[in-house]
């Protein structure tokens, strides 16, 4: 029925239709719901029902476990801080977290998609689908207390100056979501770091508890950066019942998302695995030198390491694309993330900077791999 209705109103959005100025909006909505019914005229092309919108949809589905657990953890942290865990039900804690995170999701999508719609209309092009993933990623990698107006500024900055100005989806050099987080971190550091931004402090619609303005709660990584114990058990690190960015705390939820991405073939296991290998070996090295107070494996479970390795490093647009390059790219991300954590106490979380830095060098890595293959083939040809 919906398809018939879209077919019926399509003429109004064609070149001579009354609503032709909104053609890109209509086509973007239609292609999101259904596989396009047009194909290349040449017989030399390979056709597949999996297009970029379907890939983005799979990534969004893979992010849902982290999002849902993040909502619950927001409520759990609030009730735990108030000392009322025993009095709260699962529904109350989840509902509180849902109400706390929902405005951030709405702001992210409304601002980001609004800019993309306006940009597409201005250029007379189709609406691009890349922000479907960025729109959910950005709220997941920020503290729950980040003000909405600051989030809106970060989203606008990343969409305009990191994505659209380079040509849109598939043309950006840096990961859009991480660029938004970097904008927030360097422009409003007090809203993105410290001990007062990780636990929601206000009640919402009668749910949750109002905590004192002076309430603070350090993240495990913040404690580690002060050469102290992480302050939580390994079980808490894996399950995710620790303070942190909304979607980055639960290794189990992130692992479910990783499994979805790997089974569907959307993400590269080579990149994902090499990030963990690089991080593990580097953490072992610093552990042997006595430069970190926690075991090497805890570095992989804390902060945004798992989330970055699964959802950020594997971004097909900004990561290395050659098969050998994926190993190099991922390994260097893991290496650099731990180096930043251990050697820069002022910035305990190094994953964001590591991925953004390697985004710059991904094309160089691919170039070197390709040139090496060309040289090797040339030598083999000469020998023959």
């Amino acid at each position: 029925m919906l398809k018939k209705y879209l077919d019926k109103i399509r003429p109004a959005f064609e070149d001579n239709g009354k609503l032709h100025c909104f053609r890109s909006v209509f086509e973007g909505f239609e292609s999101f719901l259904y596989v396009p019914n047009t194909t290349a005229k040449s017989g030399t092309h390979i056709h597949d029902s999996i297009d970029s919108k379907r890939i983005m949809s799979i990534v969004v589905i893979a992010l849902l476990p982290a999002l849902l657990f993040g909502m619950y953890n927001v409520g759990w942290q609030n009730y735990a801080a108030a000392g009322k865990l025993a009095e709260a039900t699962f529904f109350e804690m989840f509902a509180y977290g849902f109400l706390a995170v929902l405005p951030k999701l709405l702001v992210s999508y409304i601002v980001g998609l609004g800019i993309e719609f306006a940009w597409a209309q201005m250029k007379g092009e189709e609406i691009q689908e890349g922000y479907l993933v960025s729109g959910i990623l950005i709220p997941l990698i920020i503290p729950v207390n980040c003000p909405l107006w600051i989030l809106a500024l970060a989203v606008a900055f990343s969409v305009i100056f990191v994505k659209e100005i380079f040509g849109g989806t598939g043309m950006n050099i840096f990961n859009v979501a991480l660029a938004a987080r970097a904008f927030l971190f360097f422009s409003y550091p007090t809203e993105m770091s410290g001990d007062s931004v990780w636990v929601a402090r206000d009640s919402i619609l009668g749910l949750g508890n109002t905590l004192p303005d002076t309430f603070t709660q350090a993240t495990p990584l913040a404690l580690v950066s002060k050469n102290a114990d992480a302050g939580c058990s390994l079980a808490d690190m894996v399950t995710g019942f620790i303070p942190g960015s909304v979607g980055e705390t639960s290794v189990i939820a992130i692992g479910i998302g990783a499994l979805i991405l790997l089974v569907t073939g959307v993400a590269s296991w080579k990149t994902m695995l090499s990030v963990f290998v690089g991080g593990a070996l580097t953490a072992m090295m610093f552990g042997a030198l006595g430069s970190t107070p926690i075991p090497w494996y805890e570095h992989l479970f804390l902060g945004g390491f798992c989330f970055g390795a699964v959802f950020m490093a594997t971004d097909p647009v900004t990561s290395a694309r050659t098969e050998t390059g994926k190993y190099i790219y991922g390994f260097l991300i893991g290496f650099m993330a731990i180096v930043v954590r251990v050697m820069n106490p002022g910035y305990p979380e190094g994953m964001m900077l590591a991925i953004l830095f390697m985004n710059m060098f991904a094309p160089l890595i691919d170039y070197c791999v390709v040139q090496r293959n060309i040289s090797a083939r040339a030598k083999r040809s000469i020998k023959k």
Side-chain angles (χ1 to χ4, degrees):
M1 185 180 296
L2 178 59
K3 186 68 171 64
K4 291 181 179 180
Y5 177 74
L6 292 175
D7 291 338
K8 179 180 178 181
I9 64 174
R10 182 181 291 108
F13 295 91
E14 299 294 341
D15 292 336
N16 297 324
K18 296 180 180 179
L19 301 175
H20 69 278
C21 58
F22 297 106
R23 180 175 180 175
S24 60
V25 177
F26 175 81
E27 291 180 345
F29 179 73
E30 182 186 33
S31 60
F32 176 75
L33 293 174
Y34 300 100
V35 176
N37 57 8
T38 57
T39 58
K41 296 181 179 179
S42 170
T44 60
H45 293 81
I46 298 175
H47 304 299
D48 196 336
S49 61
I50 298 297
D51 60 6
S52 56
K53 286 186 176 63
R54 298 315 179 275
I55 292 175
M56 296 298 175
S57 299
I58 292 173
V59 178
V60 170
I61 292 172
L63 283 164
L64 289 180
L67 171 63
L68 295 175
F69 180 85
M71 290 177 173
Y72 176 70
N73 189 45
V74 167
W76 192 94
Q77 294 294 330
N78 175 269
Y79 280 93
K84 297 182 179 180
L85 275 179
E87 304 173 13
T89 65
F90 172 87
F91 174 78
E92 288 175 333
M93 288 186 282
F94 179 81
Y96 177 80
F98 174 82
L99 293 175
V101 175
L102 181 61
K104 292 174 173 53
L105 284 170
L106 293 177
V107 167
S108 177
Y109 274 114
I110 291 172
V111 174
L113 291 178
I115 293 174
E116 290 215 343
F117 276 39
W119 200 280
Q121 289 296 125
M122 180 179 66
K123 298 180 67 176
E125 299 176 350
E126 292 184 3
I127 295 174
Q128 299 171 346
E129 64 283 343
Y131 197 75
L132 288 174
V133 173
S134 299
I136 191 173
L137 277 174
I138 294 175
L140 292 181
I141 59 176
I142 62 173
V144 67
N145 287 330
C146 179
L148 296 180
W149 69 271
I150 293 179
L151 174 61
L153 285 178
V155 169
F157 170 84
S158 61
V159 172
I160 295 174
F161 294 103
V162 180
K163 182 181 178 184
E164 298 298 349
I165 205 170
F166 285 98
T169 299
M171 304 297 291
N172 49 294
I173 300 173
F174 299 102
N175 183 283
V176 176
L178 283 179
R181 194 182 195 283
F183 175 88
L184 287 169
F185 182 81
F186 292 110
S187 300
Y188 303 95
T190 58
E191 304 293 346
M192 291 294 294
S193 58
D195 298 341
S196 61
V197 300
W198 306 107
V199 178
R201 295 192 299 268
D202 301 320
S203 62
I204 305 174
L205 299 179
L207 293 170
N209 306 276
T210 300
L211 304 178
D213 292 338
T214 56
F215 174 83
T216 59
Q217 178 101 31
T219 64
L221 271 183
L223 296 174
V224 171
S225 69
K226 299 174 183 177
N227 205 32
D229 184 78
C232 61
S233 67
L234 181 61
D236 288 335
M237 298 178 194
V238 174
T239 54
F241 292 104
I242 55 177
S245 296
V246 174
E248 293 182 348
T249 63
S250 175
V251 176
I252 295 176
I254 295 170
I256 295 173
L259 185 62
I260 294 173
L261 294 179
L262 293 176
V263 169
T264 57
V266 170
S268 168
W269 66 267
K270 297 176 181 178
T271 302
M272 202 180 295
L273 176 63
S274 57
V275 173
F276 285 102
V277 172
L281 293 178
T282 308
M284 288 180 188
M285 178 188 69
F286 281 117
L289 296 174
S291 300
T292 177
I294 60 175
W296 64 269
Y297 51 84
E298 290 190 3
H299 274 289
L300 308 185
F301 295 152
L302 290 177
F305 195 94
C306 285
F307 194 90
V310 172
F311 296 110
M312 303 293 194
T314 56
D315 176 10
V317 175
T318 57
S319 65
R321 302 187 183 187
T322 57
E323 298 307 308
T324 302
K326 291 175 182 178
Y327 288 116
I328 300 171
Y329 174 80
F331 184 90
L332 291 176
I333 287 177
F335 167 79
M336 188 172 298
I338 303 301
V339 168
V340 173
R341 282 185 180 183
V342 176
M343 301 189 68
N344 183 7
Y347 184 62
E349 174 57 85
M351 202 60 176
M352 176 188 74
L353 294 180
I355 296 176
L356 287 174
F357 187 77
M358 290 311 302
N359 284 167
M360 292 190 297
F361 288 94
L364 178 61
I365 292 173
D366 284 337
Y367 174 81
C368 292
V369 170
V370 171
Q371 290 303 311
R372 181 179 179 277
N373 291 339
I374 292 174
S375 299
R377 290 180 179 181
K379 289 180 181 179
R380 289 197 299 268
S381 176
I382 293 174
K383 289 181 180 180
K384 292 180 180 179

